[in-house]
């Protein structure tokens, strides 16, 4: 099926506009998100009496860890710190989403993540001789965003 050209009515997702929510915690907007991918494992079986023929079967599905990065602010970094503190006291596998938005802040795509847990948080590297914006990074582990079979 050939791809159609974009029309003026198409609302394209902007890589710089996305929000993260985990359970009831709105973790806000981030400047970078990596690891939103899935790999499909493959199992091969070569028939004993026909070595030129190989059977392929689905293997394990693997999701990468998601890494979020943004500038530190009093409000947004504070929310993440409170969420991490809650996870420290009462670890839970929450559900959440990453929502991609267009130029009008309308939803373009949404990935619903299952059983999310924080893996790592990293604060800014500070240097009095520099002029860079302080950033924070949050790494999340999850059990996937594709609907479960069955």
């Amino acid at each position: 099926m050939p791809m159609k050209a974009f029309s003026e009515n198409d609302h394209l997702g902007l890589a710089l506009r996305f929000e993260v929510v985990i359970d009831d915690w709105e973790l806000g907007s981030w400047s970078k998100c990596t690891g939103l991918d899935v790999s499909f494992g493959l199992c091969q079986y070569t028939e004993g009496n026909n070595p030129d023929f190989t059977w392929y079967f689905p293997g394990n599905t693997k999701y990468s860890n998601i890494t979020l990065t943004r500038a530190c602010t009093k409000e947004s970094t504070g929310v993440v710190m409170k969420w991490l503190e809650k996870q420290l006291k009462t670890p839970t596998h929450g559900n959440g989403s990453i929502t991609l938005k267009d130029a009008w802040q309308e939803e373009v795509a949404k990935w619903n993540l299952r059983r999310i847990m924080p893996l790592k948080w990293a604060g800014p590297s500070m240097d009095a001789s520099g002029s860079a914006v302080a950033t924070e990074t949050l790494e999340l582990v999850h059990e996937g965003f594709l609907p479960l079979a069955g």
Side-chain angles (χ1 to χ4, degrees):
M1 174 179 249
M3 288 188 55
K4 70 175 188 105
F6 294 116
S7 75
E8 61 186 44
N9 295 328
D10 287 332
H11 289 233
L12 304 178
L14 299 178
L16 58 91
R17 292 218 171 131
F18 62 96
E19 294 177 348
V20 178
V21 175
I22 300 176
D23 289 331
D24 294 329
W25 292 83
E26 292 187 20
L27 301 183
S29 297
W30 296 75
S31 60
K32 188 173 182 182
C33 174
T34 60
L36 191 58
D37 61 61
V38 58
S39 301
F40 299 95
L42 183 67
C43 297
Q44 302 180 63
Y45 176 75
T46 304
E47 256 183 60
N49 59 353
N50 188 358
D52 293 335
F53 187 78
T54 303
W55 292 90
Y56 296 99
F57 300 98
N60 292 336
T61 304
K62 182 174 173 28
Y63 295 91
S64 297
N65 295 342
I66 292 176
T67 303
L68 304 165
T69 306
R70 70 173 167 203
C72 292
T73 68
K74 183 176 182 177
E75 184 178 337
S76 63
T77 303
V79 170
V80 171
M81 290 295 102
K82 287 177 184 170
W83 179 69
L84 290 172
E85 183 181 345
K86 179 188 173 289
Q87 290 296 312
L88 186 61
K89 291 178 181 175
T90 313
T92 59
H93 291 86
N95 295 314
S97 62
I98 297 175
T99 305
L100 178 66
K101 301 199 171 192
D102 64 15
W104 297 269
Q105 293 291 339
E106 297 293 324
E107 179 180 313
V108 173
K110 187 174 192 174
W111 295 269
N112 294 310
L113 307 170
R114 293 184 307 278
R115 297 178 51 83
I116 304 166
M117 287 194 70
L119 184 62
K120 180 180 179 181
W121 178 86
S125 296
M126 294 175 260
D127 180 359
S129 65
S131 60
V133 172
T135 60
E136 66 179 322
T137 302
L138 178 62
E139 187 174 353
L140 304 169
V141 62
H142 63 99
E143 292 183 9
F145 52 81
L146 295 175
L148 294 173

